[in-house]
Each structure stands twice: as structure tokens, then as C-alpha cells.
Amino acid sequence: QPAAPAVGAPSAAPPGTVQPGATEQAPAPDRKPQGDFLTQCGPQILMLAVMFAIFYFLLIRPQQKKAREHQELLKRIQRGDKVITNGGILGTVTGIDDKWVVLEVSEKVRIKVLRSHIAGKGDAMVDPGAK
């Protein structure tokens, strides 16, 4: 019987085969040098910040400004103002309270609309009957 090789001695087995009782260690993969957190994630964080800034200045800020201007317009509405509703109805304000506006759309024809549904003030360009 052939003698077993000594522990720790190189074996004559072909490479890639495992001897009974021995564990095979995987070759160490080529590792890239490890950097700190900002080196690895900095560009992604910077890109997210830039995209948020673009969304803020192109979408969020103008929308907030428009909403603020609309609220100011609704506060300044008075009797006698010509206004246009979101539905496209043009009329003259004949009555107003905190929530509702009464519009005269034709002679002796009045409708009651929510104040928040006033889109803007009407002018001679919107009203074809105005002179």
C-alpha cells in the first residue's frame, strides 16, 4: 500500500481535484482598491442633487408662484369685475362672499360659482362683445 502524503506536503493529484479531508480555497479575485464613501457614492449623490434642483426650478417653484398669484387674484375680486371661470364662462361679478361668487352672464341671467373656480379677470380681448 502506498503511504499517505504527509500533512502539509504537496500532493501529486492534478490541479483542481480535492483530496479527501482537505478544503479547496478559491483563488483570490482581483480586487480594486477600496475608496471612502464619497469617492464611491459621491457622483450618484451629486447627480440626485442636480436633478432635484432642476425639478425645483423648472416645475415646483413656478407652480407655487402661479398658485400664489391666483390666490391674490381671488382676494382682489370686487363687484363689477369681469371674470372668466375655469369652464370658460365670462361674466360680471354681481355678488361675492367668502366661498361663492354670483356672475351675471347675460341680462338678468345670474349663476353662482365657487370663488376658487374663477380662472382670471376677463378683458376686452376675451369678451367679443366688449367695445
Side-chain angles (χ1 to χ4, degrees), residues 23-70:
T23 59
E24 182 178 326
Q25 292 181 354
D30 294 334
R31 294 189 177 184
K32 295 180 181 176
Q34 298 277 334
D36 62 346
F37 178 76
L38 288 178
T39 305
Q40 292 180 359
C41 298
Q44 288 87 2
I45 293 172
L46 180 64
M47 183 61 77
L48 282 173
V50 167
M51 289 192 56
F52 178 76
I54 289 170
F55 276 113
Y56 179 76
F57 286 109
L58 292 181
L59 297 174
I60 298 169
R61 191 169 176 236
Q63 185 177 7
Q64 288 176 342
K65 183 179 178 186
K66 186 175 180 181
R68 210 172 323 136
E69 289 173 354
H70 187 252

Side-chain angles (χ1 to χ4, degrees), residues 52-106:
F52 178 76
I54 289 170
F55 276 113
Y56 179 76
F57 286 109
L58 292 181
L59 297 174
I60 298 169
R61 191 169 176 236
Q63 185 177 7
Q64 288 176 342
K65 183 179 178 186
K66 186 175 180 181
R68 210 172 323 136
E69 289 173 354
H70 187 252
Q71 289 297 322
E72 288 297 319
L73 171 84
L74 294 179
K75 288 179 187 176
R76 290 190 312 249
I77 291 177
Q78 300 173 5
R79 290 180 103 172
D81 287 344
K82 287 192 176 204
V83 295
I84 188 165
T85 66
N86 288 334
I89 299 172
L90 186 67
T92 304
V93 177
T94 59
I96 192 165
D97 65 9
D98 291 340
K99 192 172 181 179
W100 297 96
V101 175
V102 178
L103 298 178
E104 185 172 349
V105 294
S106 183

Side-chain angles (χ1 to χ4, degrees), residues 10-20 22 24:
S11 65
T17 59
V18 179
Q19 297 288 332
E24 182 178 326

